[in-house]
Amino acid sequence: TDEAAGAELADQADRLGYTIDITASSPRYVNEELLKWNSSVNARVSIEFPLLMQFLGAKFRFGAEIGNFGFEDAMPPQKATLKGITAMGMLAFPAGPGKVKVGAGLVGKAFGVMAEATYGLRIGPMDVRAGARTTEVIGAKTNENMPIRAAWWDGLLSIGINL
């Protein structure tokens, strides 16, 4: 029945509790405009709330993340940078020790979207995952106020803690 399915979903959400992911990543594949730019290691912290939803068989959780990103123009005499803080809302689709996330929000002062897929090992209340993430920034501008198309793929390592 629908009530039994709803109770089962609520029980699964209670078992998941809050999840905090701490992630380190490094851009590996960038779009053409960023090819001659140096990148830095990025760090992010995300939290997923203990609310498990289901739509057409897909179970997902709501969450939010904050992190950083950074690129510097490597061709002299340029001194342009594209750096800042990211703040995104997201949906996380847990799949055992793996996870798929999609989100949207601020990447610096511009709007951006991301998609991430990871897989790893669960060790008690913690999981260690590796994976890839893509980020697309719409309307990005450098520190010199020059528009630039910014998109990149990160390789990442994430530690998740269930509270």
Side-chain angles (χ1 to χ4, degrees), residues 16 18-19 24 35 37 46 62 69 71 78 104 112-113 124 141 143 146 157 159:
L16 288 172
Y18 286 94
T19 301
L35 277 176
W37 292 53
S46 66
F62 295 101
F69 69 101
F71 295 92
Q78 305 294 337
V113 294
K141 292 187 178 180
N143 63 323
M146 296 295 296
L157 183 61
I159 297 173

Side-chain angles (χ1 to χ4, degrees), residues 3-156:
E3 285 182 21
E8 181 183 334
L9 202 59
D11 289 343
Q12 289 175 4
D14 286 343
R15 283 194 302 273
L16 288 172
Y18 286 94
T19 301
I20 297 172
D21 282 344
I22 301 166
T23 304
S25 65
S26 181
R28 292 292 113 206
Y29 299 103
V30 297
N31 65 313
E32 189 174 351
E33 290 186 49
L34 291 176
L35 277 176
K36 295 179 180 151
W37 292 53
N38 293 328
S39 61
S40 58
V41 173
N42 302 325
R44 288 183 298 281
V45 175
S46 66
I47 184 165
E48 295 166 26
F49 303 107
L51 176 63
L52 189 62
M53 305 293 287
Q54 185 170 352
F55 182 71
L56 298 176
K59 295 176 184 171
F60 61 93
R61 300 171 72 190
F62 295 101
E65 77 171 20
I66 189 162
N68 73 315
F69 69 101
F71 295 92
E72 294 181 355
D73 193 343
M75 299 300 291
Q78 305 294 337
K79 297 292 181 194
T81 61
L82 180 63
K83 293 182 178 184
I85 301 294
T86 62
M88 293 193 178
M90 65 179 188
L91 297 177
F93 299 85
K99 193 178 294 187
V100 173
K101 295 180 184 179
V102 294
L106 291 176
V107 180
K109 295 178 182 176
F111 177 77
V113 294
M114 68 84 172
E116 173 182 305
T118 57
Y119 194 76
L121 302 169
R122 179 163 286 153
I123 306 164
M126 185 173 77
D127 53 285
V128 178
R129 299 182 318 275
R133 172 185 176 118
T134 181
T135 304
E136 175 81 31
V137 186
I138 301 163
K141 292 187 178 180
T142 69
N143 63 323
E144 298 171 340
N145 211 28
M146 296 295 296
I148 185 170
R149 181 171 176 274
W152 62 91
W153 278 85
D154 290 302
L156 65 93

